[in-house]
Structure formats: structure tokens, C-alpha cells
Amino acid sequence: QVQLVESGGGSVQAGGSLRLSCAYFGHIYGTACMGWFRLDPGKEPEGVASIYTNGSTSYADSVKGRFTISQDNAKNTVYLQMNSLKPADTSMYYCAADLNAYYCPTLVRERYNYWGQGTRVTVTS
């Protein structure tokens, strides 16, 4: 069984930074594809960033140059460093794992098998 636990969300002013963490537990050994998504009712879900264990990454155009995804395998944790935050970044952020990882990195939500409970990010103007 795989469990993902996000943390690090909160409220910040526009231009500020936050770092989200996703601790993963269970049968994830080296080859999982890890991703961050943001979802809100009434909005289209958006894949934000993805990373494979070889360091390959993928980002949504809306966050390129501002967000950085990274992974610490020793700590079983994936991070999302978010800089220059905008009010449009306000959302629930979810960590996800794709154990097949055939297409990693990928921002396609349907490829991910396991999801965390989410952490809320609010950016005020």
C-alpha cells in the first residue's frame, strides 16, 4: 500500500515563496513517477510538475521558471519549491505517484495511481 502525505501549504502574499513537501510511504522503489497537481472545484485540474528518478522533470507552462520540483530518495520525499507566487496559483495542491512510470515525467493526471490528501495554497494580492 502506498501513502502520500503533503505538507507546507499556507497563505502568502503575491511574490512570496512556499515549499511543499510530499512524504511517500509504501512500495515505491526508485522507479516511480512523482507529480504535483492542483485542483479546485469549478476549475480545470492542472498538472504542475513531474519528476522521474533520473532527474528528468516536466513543468506546466504557467509555472516554468517559478516552480522547481525535486526529490530526496533518502528521505522518501518530493518537494515543490514555489517562488514568485501569484494569486492565480491559489489552489489545492496534490502529490501523486505513478508506479508504472512508463511515460515519466508526465503531467497527465490519469497516469497517476496514488494521491495524497492535498495541501491548500493561498496567494493574496
Side-chain angles (χ1 to χ4, degrees):
Q1 188 67 20
V2 172
Q3 185 180 9
L4 307 174
V5 181
E6 302 100 331
S7 61
S11 182
V12 64
Q13 286 191 326
S17 298
L18 283 173
R19 189 177 78 158
L20 305 183
S21 299
C22 171
Y24 50 89
F25 308 91
H27 298 289
I28 296 181
Y29 297 118
T31 58
C33 189
M34 304 299 294
W36 285 97
F37 291 78
R38 53 192 185 191
L39 296 85
D40 270 312
K43 292 184 181 179
E44 195 68 22
E46 183 179 19
V48 175
S50 174
I51 188 167
Y52 188 48
T53 50
N54 65 0
S56 299
T57 57
S58 179
Y59 294 93
D61 288 342
S62 59
V63 305
K64 279 180 183 176
R66 300 188 298 122
F67 291 12
T68 303
I69 188 171
S70 60
Q71 186 169 20
D72 186 337
N73 290 325
K75 295 183 178 180
N76 285 359
T77 302
V78 175
Y79 303 98
L80 185 68
Q81 178 67 43
M82 305 185 296
N83 299 328
S84 301
L85 282 161
K86 306 174 181 178
D89 295 317
T90 295
S91 187
M92 280 291 289
Y93 283 73
Y94 295 86
C95 176
D98 167 15
L99 300 190
N100 294 319
Y102 294 140
Y103 301 99
C104 196
T106 178
L107 301 180
V108 177
R109 185 164 58 105
E110 289 75 14
R111 301 202 191 280
Y112 287 83
N113 318 105
Y114 295 93
W115 294 80
Q117 83 288 351
T119 185
R120 185 77 189 173
V121 171
T122 301
V123 184
T124 58
S125 56

